Structures are given as C-alpha cells and as structure tokens.
Amino acid sequence: MAETETPTLNVLSGIQPSGNLHLGNYFGAVQQYLEFVEQGHNCFYFLANYHALTSLRDRSKLLDLTRSTAMDYLALGLDPDRCAIYIQSDIPEVCELQWILSTVTPMGLLERCHAYKDKVAQGIPSDHGLFAYPVLQAADILIVRADRVPVGQDQKKHVEVTRDIAQYFNTSYGEVLKLPEPYIPEHVAVVPGRDGRKMSKSYNNTIELFAPEEEIRRQIFSIVTDSATVAEPKDPETSIIFSILKLFCTEEESQAWGDRFRSGGMGYREVKQAIFDKFMEKFGDARRRRRELEKEEDYVAEVLRRGVHKARTIGGPLVDQVRDAVGIPRLIYD
Ligand code: ADP
Ligand code: TRP
C-alpha cells in the first residue's frame, strides 16, 4: 500500500531588523524555520525592513541591522541553497498587494490588533504605518501562497488577521488567495526575558545571540531571581531562570534540574553558570560563523539576490493574478 506522503508546504516567516537577535527569536522562531527546511519544505525567510520603519527612524541603523540580521540567519544555519532568504523591500509587489488588500480590510479588524491598541492605550501617538502594519504582514504571507507561518505566540493574531483579510478578498473576487496557518509549538510560544516579561528587543530584557561573550555573561547573570538562600527549596514552576534553562535541556535534564530546585541546596549562581555554558555550547559554532560572515559581504548580497529572485517567481504572478481579479490588470511589463 502506498504510504501517505507529506505534501511540500510553502513556509514563510520574517523578523524585523529593528534590534539584535535574541533567545526569544531563536527558540520562538528561527528554530522552527530550521526544522521546516530540514523537512524539505519550500521555505521563505525574510527581513521585514518596511515593518521596522514603524519603530526605527535611523537610516544607518536600519541599513546595518538589515545586513547584520541577514548574517544572523545564515550563521544560525539557514542554508540559502535550501530556502529563500531576502529583504522585504526587494519585492516591490508586496506594497502593491498591501494596497489592494487594504481595500478589503475592515477598520475594526485593525483596531483590534495589539501593537496599535497598546500604543493608543499608553497614550503614545500612533501613525498610519503602525495601524496598517498587519495588512503589510498579510501581503508578506499571501504573496508566496504560504501554508504555514512559524512565529511566536505574539504573532498569532497577525496570522489570524491575514486569514480574515484573505477571506474577505476571496469573498469579493473568487478563490485567489490561500489561507495560511500559524505554527507555534507550545513549549517555546513565549520565551521569558530577564525580567520575566516576554523577551523582546523593545523591553531591554534580552539575552542576545551574537553579543560579545562578556555581555552575554552579564545578561545571563542579570536574570531576575527571588531572594531564596542556597539551602532553601525553590519552585521551578514559578521561576524565570528555570524557564530559560529548560530551553536548553532535554526532557530528562529538565526533570533532574527541577528536582534539584525543589530539594534545596542549589544556588541561582550555579544555574546561571549552567545557562551560560549551555548557551556557548549551543551557539558557539554559529557565533564563529557569524564572525566569518562579517568578511563576506559579497556572498551575503548574492544570497539575498538569489532569495528575492525565488520569492518573486511566486510573488510576481500572484500579484498579477490579484490585480487581474480586481480589474487592474498589469499592462506594462518590464
Ligand atoms: P521582538 O519582540 O524582540 O521585536 P520580533 O517582533 O522581531 O521580536 O519577533 C520575530 C519573531 O520572533 C516572531 O516570530 C516572534 O513571534 C518571535 N519572538 C520574539 N520574541 C519572542 C519570545 N520572547 N518568545 C517567543 N517568540 C518570540
Ligand atoms: N510582525 C512580525 C514580528 O514583529 C514580523 C513579520 C513581518 C512577519 N511580516 C511577517 C512574521 C510575516 C511572519 C510573517 O515579529
């Protein structure tokens, strides 16, 4: 009997080049990117520089971070021969698609999105870019007909909004757009930061992947702990430091550490040192590769060129189809 074959999926995700990559980005996103590549799917991973403009108004910083995040992707093992790596703004059709999608997107859908809602709630002036952010994200996803979108929990809403927008479009114009699904493994959905809130570039609570070793040590040793003495038993379930340690552990190792927390006689310094050692073991090779890539600017540029070419071979015809469906067929070809 023929075995049921797993179909090849289109997988897409992106990270804003608005700061340095951290453990939350790795465990919540990049680790899953690597798995999909490993499984042989058709993967698209990009740098969301248009999105980064909603929080970063600094030309040279944005240029530097875009270049350096591309190197981070490569250093972490994304193989440009097996997945497309590109810069969002290199696909001009993304903005065309965003506009068309925005015309089928109800205001209420965007008013319920968190980034915008949070800013407004904090009394921070918000702009149209932030409000329209989820529509641009929908364009990123729909343009390559993505089936799966590996992201952290904070992005779930945005993938749901993408599905809604695609459905609104299809209802008006026929079944043109494919509805994507988020991929969010539960155990890494929200990686806590050093202060226990979600780890995020914007909270200054990260453990960075590629900072100098001494900085990594400082960040790990500043993870917030309670004032329990070495002798006292500790509850791993409520401990930030245990949640971070667990990311690096097998099931058995976390069991063993959990037992040590509960039985007392173990100090937080020892746990922090263990996290530091495991961090260096896990990311040592990537950190070395990252240093090498610094010297290979032409190679990185070539990777990005190849990546965008591949994305546009799907994205170009998709946007032509969308334009045709709404009654704005493309008449000028380059
Ligand atoms: P940040 O919040 O630091 O700005 P991004 O918004 O650029 O991070 O996130 C890029 C990807 O990494 C997204 O898929 C996001 O869900 C994931 N991610 C970021 N922080 C975390 C975290 N603390 N836990 C799990 N996933 C995360
Ligand atoms: N909004 C995402 C974030 O902040 C980045 C992003 C932009 C993205 N476009 C995307 C993620 C498309 C997944 C798919 O993390």
Side-chain angles (χ1 to χ4, degrees):
M1 204 172 67
E3 279 184 40
T4 18
E5 276 184 32
T6 324
T8 303
L9 302 172
N10 285 358
V11 176
L12 169 130
S13 197
I15 294 183
Q16 300 183 64
S18 53
N20 298 324
L21 284 204
H22 53 74
L23 283 185
N25 297 137
Y26 182 79
F27 287 105
V30 178
Q31 179 174 257
Q32 285 66 255
Y33 298 1
L34 290 163
E35 278 170 22
F36 278 112
V37 175
E38 210 38 58
Q39 291 161 10
H41 295 295
N42 205 12
C43 299
F44 299 87
Y45 300 127
F46 70 99
L47 310 162
N49 58 345
Y50 277 140
H51 279 112
L53 278 182
T54 61
S55 60
L56 187 62
R57 288 186 194 172
D58 183 322
R59 177 179 191 278
S60 67
K61 244 193 191 162
L62 182 57
L63 279 167
D64 275 358
L65 283 168
T66 307
R67 194 180 131 268
S68 87
T69 311
M71 290 191 274
D72 296 348
Y73 273 9
L74 291 170
L76 288 169
L78 288 177
D79 177 351
D81 292 330
R82 298 173 72 199
C83 63
I85 299 175
Y86 58 94
I87 299 176
Q88 179 183 38
S89 59
D90 285 338
I91 307 188
E93 293 90 348
V94 161
C95 289
E96 281 183 62
L97 181 58
Q98 181 199 3
W99 174 256
I100 295 173
L101 295 177
S102 77
T103 65
V104 297
T105 305
M107 292 290 281
L109 192 63
L110 300 181
E111 274 159 359
R112 289 191 291 277
C113 284
H114 51 86
Y116 169 75
K117 235 170 51 180
D118 291 352
K119 264 208 171 173
V120 173
Q122 290 167 35
I124 301 170
S126 155
D127 50 44
H128 178 256
L130 193 69
F131 186 67
Y133 183 114
V135 190
L136 179 58
Q137 183 156 349
D140 295 328
I141 297 171
L142 299 171
I143 203 166
V144 300
R145 302 181 190 277
D147 300 285
R148 293 285 180 284
V149 184
V151 281
Q153 182 68 30
D154 60 310
Q155 293 300 314
K156 185 167 184 238
K157 177 81 186 155
H158 285 156
V159 184
E160 286 165 2
V161 167
T162 299
R163 290 174 64 89
D164 289 344
I165 294 175
Q167 234 149 6
Y168 283 118
F169 184 93
N170 288 349
T171 303
S172 294
Y173 297 109
E175 293 296 311
V176 175
L177 300 174
K178 195 191 258 185
L179 269 51
E181 277 174 32
Y183 177 75
I184 309 174
E186 180 141 14
H187 63 292
V188 285
V190 186
V191 173
R194 291 182 270 137
D195 57 0
R197 291 185 293 170
K198 180 203 133 173
M199 186 177 289
S200 172
K201 290 164 209 149
S202 35
Y203 294 157
N204 192 24
N205 65 353
T206 63
I207 297 170
E208 290 173 32
L209 300 175
F210 297 106
E213 190 165 323
E214 271 322 296
E215 177 59 16
I216 303 284
R217 180 184 293 281
R218 189 196 67 74
Q219 291 176 352
I220 290 175
F221 277 76
S222 69
I223 298 170
V224 172
T225 49
D226 60 25
S227 55
T229 61
V230 172
E232 281 177 82
K234 302 164 180 71
D235 180 6
E237 300 313 319
T238 57
S239 162
I240 303 165
I241 197 165
F242 183 71
S243 318
I244 295 177
L245 174 68
K246 235 170 41 174
L247 297 166
F248 295 93
C249 291
T250 60
E251 194 53 44
E252 297 78 59
E253 283 175 326
S254 352
Q255 289 277 353
W257 276 104
D259 292 344
R260 292 201 57 206
F261 267 69
R262 279 181 287 269
S263 60
M266 179 211 70
Y268 289 127
R269 276 197 73 78
E270 183 188 340
V271 186
K272 290 178 177 178
Q273 185 61 46
I275 294 175
F276 179 80
D277 294 341
K278 282 178 176 293
F279 177 101
M280 287 302 162
E281 196 184 314
K282 184 161 183 70
F283 296 113
D285 286 347
R287 290 165 60 81
R288 274 185 288 280
R289 270 201 301 275
R290 179 70 182 69
R291 283 194 290 273
E292 289 299 309
L293 283 162
E294 281 290 344
K295 299 175 228 146
E296 296 181 45
E297 209 161 309
D298 291 349
Y299 167 72
V300 177
E302 178 53 26
V303 163
L304 296 171
R305 256 195 301 276
R306 270 198 283 151
V308 78
H309 179 76
K310 181 163 179 215
R312 284 185 84 187
T313 56
I314 299 193
L318 183 278
V319 176
D320 286 353
Q321 199 187 341
V322 164
R323 288 181 54 144
D324 193 55
V326 301
I328 308 183
R330 198 184 293 285
L331 297 174
I332 301 164
Y333 294 91
D334 51 17

